[in-house]
Amino acid sequence: MTTSTMAHERNGARRRPPRRALVPVLAPLAIWAGAAGVLALWWSDTSSVVGPADWLTGAGRMTGLLAGYACAVLLALMARTPLLDHGVGTDRLARWHAWGGRCTVSLALAHTLLVVWGYSVVSHTSVVGEATTLVLDYPDLLGGTAGFLLLVGTGVLSARAARRRLSYETWYYLHVATYLAVFLAFGHQLSNGADFVGNRSAQAAWYTLYLGVAALVVWYRFVVPVRRGLRHRLRVVAVCPEAPGVVSVHLGGEHLEELGGASGQFLRWRFLTRGLWWTASPYSLSAPAHPRRLRITVKDAGGHSGALARLAVGTRVWAEGPYGAFTADRRTAPRVLLLAGGVGITPLRALFETLPGEVTLVYRARRPEDLALRGELDAIAARRGATVHYVVDEPARFSSPLTARALTGLVPGLASHDVYLCGPPPMARAAVLALREAGVPARRIHHESFAF
């Protein structure tokens, strides 16, 4: 099922603005430099290490400092700062956050065990007895213990096996609770940390780090969304079916050009109606942003997404964003393949209309009736002289395996293309393997996952 190829635009490849292009390199360097500074603080306050007790408590101090620093880094990564989000990409930030979360929990566990063990060696008491004494007698340590348990609990429930059983809403509010855990741990460190007691410079540095991160979180996750909600006055103006279980939600508002949403980006939408107001869920723009209207296209996956089909016209909406780096700024080659699976067509439909150069769209779905927005895609292809390949599993005569050979047959010269990929995780993984086998460099495969 193919729309024939016509003359193509042949514009030069666009490059990301220099400042944003450096962010993925400079951000990790800044994080590791901060970790080195934390270790330097420990080193400057340690005159000597003699005997098992010193080795245990010294290692406990070191892991505690690193855990405290890592907590601040985790919050900074998820503060939704535009420079980080647009420069690095939401999915990559989420992966950094997940990896950092595992490290933080491990460091916190090591800190707790090493300090209790070291103190028990000094006092010649049992580990359990020493732990009880520390928790009950030391200032702020009861609160620090509560924060530690909350942090570990969040880490356990965020493990892949447990996460599959959680709804997005449960996962979201569980992570909001980690703000309390970090606050409790912060107070404990300043009250009991040997590297902070009496060290005004270290205290000032720690306050600056945490207050700076807190300011970013409060501003970008709370103040900016409220201001934009009042400024843009978004409302639902229509809900239109696009395919079985798929609807488009059309939104109208004021001053929407100020949002600056680019094709390929997503926003977090909070619909102010019963059952939906208490959570903000990510959905991509399925059409280029307009000064007076926006559109998202959503598949019924249960819960929040399924309720959108029943939205009443006039429902107020708050939008946070735009987020993500899945935009034309990633493009490095004059020819582009857009590879969509199912409702993954939503950001690619917007990119299909706006990306310059020679663009080919391959859209995979289970059945022909599941091809959402097909009329729009055909019209865009005819208008810009682009190619669309529709691949469905049923009927079999229109099916095509997701392999290097099949993709190369559909897209001649595939290895020289940039590829924008969006679809369900199994399809995305298979597509990446096929594209790499077809000779597409990893740096030219652009993919953002919005799964939690």
Side-chain angles (χ1 to χ4, degrees):
M1 302 170 72
T2 305
T3 299
S4 60
T5 307
M6 299 169 63
H8 298 280
E9 301 173 57
R10 294 190 180 275
N11 298 332
R14 292 178 58 188
R15 299 284 182 178
R16 274 192 289 179
R19 183 180 67 168
R20 287 188 185 174
L22 291 174
V23 172
V25 176
L26 295 180
L29 289 177
I31 292 171
W32 288 112
V38 168
L39 292 176
L41 172 63
W42 173 85
W43 182 266
S44 66
D45 285 338
T46 304
S47 56
S48 63
V49 179
V50 180
D54 276 3
W55 281 105
L56 290 168
T57 55
R61 283 171 48 211
M62 185 191 304
T63 52
L65 284 169
L66 288 172
Y69 170 72
C71 284
V73 170
L74 291 180
L75 294 183
L77 290 176
M78 291 291 103
R80 299 176 188 166
T81 309
L83 181 61
L84 268 182
D85 194 89
H86 298 167
V88 176
T90 303
D91 63 332
R92 192 189 299 184
L93 286 176
R95 289 195 297 271
W96 290 0
H97 178 82
W99 183 83
R102 291 190 288 271
C103 291
T104 303
V105 172
S106 299
L107 287 167
L109 281 167
H111 164 69
T112 302
L113 295 174
L114 289 167
V115 166
V116 172
W117 189 5
Y119 277 39
S120 70
V121 170
V122 172
S123 61
H124 304 288
T125 59
S126 69
V127 171
V128 174
E130 188 62 32
T132 303
T133 300
L134 288 172
V135 170
L136 297 179
D137 294 348
Y138 277 62
D140 293 326
L141 202 53
L142 188 60
T145 302
F148 164 74
L149 294 174
L150 185 57
L151 189 67
V152 171
T154 301
V156 170
L157 292 175
S158 295
R160 185 172 299 176
R163 193 168 66 236
R164 294 193 189 103
R165 297 178 173 85
L166 293 178
S167 67
Y168 172 81
E169 293 80 9
T170 301
W171 174 89
Y172 175 82
Y173 282 101
L174 180 66
H175 276 67
V176 169
T178 58
Y179 291 134
L180 175 60
V182 172
F183 172 77
L184 293 171
F186 173 75
H188 145 65
Q189 281 201 306
L190 289 180
S191 299
N192 301 297
D195 299 283
F196 295 105
V197 175
N199 188 337
R200 293 298 181 88
S201 298
Q203 292 176 11
W206 219 241
Y207 269 113
T208 300
L209 172 64
Y210 271 80
L211 290 176
V213 171
L216 290 176
V217 170
V218 170
W219 182 256
Y220 286 111
R221 298 200 66 164
F222 297 98
V223 176
V224 170
V226 171
R227 288 180 61 193
R228 287 180 171 173
L230 298 174
R231 170 71 170 165
H232 300 305
R233 303 181 65 81
L234 277 168
R235 294 181 182 274
V236 175
V237 296
V239 179
C240 304
E242 302 286 1
V246 178
V247 298
S248 284
V249 180
H250 299 256
L251 305 116
E254 302 173 3
H255 314 292
L256 299 185
E257 69 280 358
E258 297 174 7
L259 280 173
S263 295
Q265 290 188 308
F266 70 97
L267 294 91
R268 297 181 186 274
W269 305 89
R270 189 181 301 274
F271 297 90
L272 304 185
T273 188
R274 184 176 180 181
L276 297 178
W277 65 268
W278 55 282
T279 188
S281 293
Y283 300 115
S284 299
L285 295 171
S286 61
H290 184 275
R292 299 289 297 178
R293 61 183 181 273
L294 300 172
R295 187 185 74 178
I296 58 175
T297 301
V298 182
K299 182 177 181 179
D300 181 1
H304 190 282
S305 57
L308 299 191
R310 301 185 294 274
L311 282 172
V313 171
T315 299
R316 288 289 302 273
V317 184
W318 283 10
E320 305 172 27
Y323 300 121
F326 192 62
T327 67
D329 287 338
R330 284 191 172 182
R331 179 170 169 263
T332 62
R335 295 194 294 175
V336 177
L337 166 64
L338 307 178
L339 181 53
V343 79
I345 190 61
T346 52
L348 298 185
R349 182 262 178 245
L351 284 167
F352 190 41
E353 182 173 346
T354 57
L355 267 176
E358 181 180 329
V359 180
T360 301
L361 171 64
V362 175
Y363 182 9
R364 304 179 64 90
R366 192 164 67 88
R367 303 167 300 174
E369 56 266 34
D370 294 324
L371 295 166
L373 308 174
R374 183 177 175 185
E376 295 181 19
L377 298 172
D378 289 338
I380 294 169
R383 185 167 61 250
R384 65 173 298 163
T387 302
V388 182
H389 298 286
Y390 298 107
V391 179
V392 294
D393 297 331
E394 305 169 5
R397 68 180 182 276
F398 296 124
S399 66
S400 176
L402 190 51
T403 62
R405 174 180 288 186
L407 286 174
T408 303
L410 290 174
V411 188
L414 176 59
S416 65
H417 284 62
D418 267 306
V419 180
Y420 287 75
L421 167 64
C422 191
M427 173 265 182
R429 288 191 293 269
V432 169
L433 292 175
L435 290 166
R436 296 291 289 119
E437 185 180 343
V440 181
R443 67 180 183 279
R444 287 187 176 175
I445 302 174
H446 313 302
H447 174 237
E448 273 194 350
S449 171
F450 310 117
F452 69 91

